[in-house]
Each structure stands twice: as C-alpha cells, then as structure tokens.
Amino acid sequence: TQVFVAAAGLGAAQNYNITLPSGTTYVGRKIGGMVTTVGGAASTLTVSASAGNVQGGASRTIDASARSYETYMSDGTDWWKVQ
C-alpha cells in the first residue's frame, strides 16, 4: 500500500489536492490517504485520478474534521474506496 498524508497548518484551513495515477497501471494495488487538522481549522483533501473516476465520480473530498483516512484500490479503470 502506498500512502499519502496531508496535514493542515496551525490554526489555518488548508485544502489539498491529490491526483491518483491511472488505474490501468495500478490494477489491484492500494493507495491510502489521510487528512488531519492542527489547531481546529477546517481542511479538506480532494482526491482525483489522472484517468478514470474515484468512487464513481470525477473526484472525492475528504473532510479533516475526523482525521479521515481512506484507502482506494484500482479495478483496472477506476479507483474505489476499500476502507
């Protein structure tokens, strides 16, 4: 599993964008990501793919309020949340 992590700055909202590689080159492999906040600021992580969809859409936004962690797996075309 490859992992990406985004952590917000102290007290200031930060929004991050991650682009997953094409699902055709990562068939069956997992990529996980986490976004968290420091100092109570609202932050987001938007996950998109260089080709195909993420969880059935063009992108997926993860909210940092609960220190969210998600793992995605490629089916050969698209990326799907598995955790």
Side-chain angles (χ1 to χ4, degrees):
T1 301
Q2 294 180 332
V3 178
F4 54 85
V5 177
L10 291 172
Q14 299 290 320
N15 298 307
Y16 298 90
N17 297 296
I18 299 291
T19 302
L20 300 175
S22 172
T24 59
T25 58
Y26 276 75
V27 179
R29 293 173 66 185
K30 295 179 184 177
I31 296 180
M34 177 180 175
V35 60
T36 188
T37 186
V38 179
S43 298
T44 60
L45 173 64
T46 301
V47 181
S48 58
S50 62
N53 289 321
V54 177
Q55 198 61 22
S59 65
R60 178 168 173 82
T61 300
I62 304 171
D63 184 357
S65 62
R67 294 188 177 183
S68 302
Y69 181 87
E70 294 187 355
T71 300
Y72 300 93
M73 180 183 280
S74 168
D75 65 5
T77 303
D78 297 317
W79 291 93
W80 297 97
K81 182 179 169 187
V82 294
Q83 177 187 6

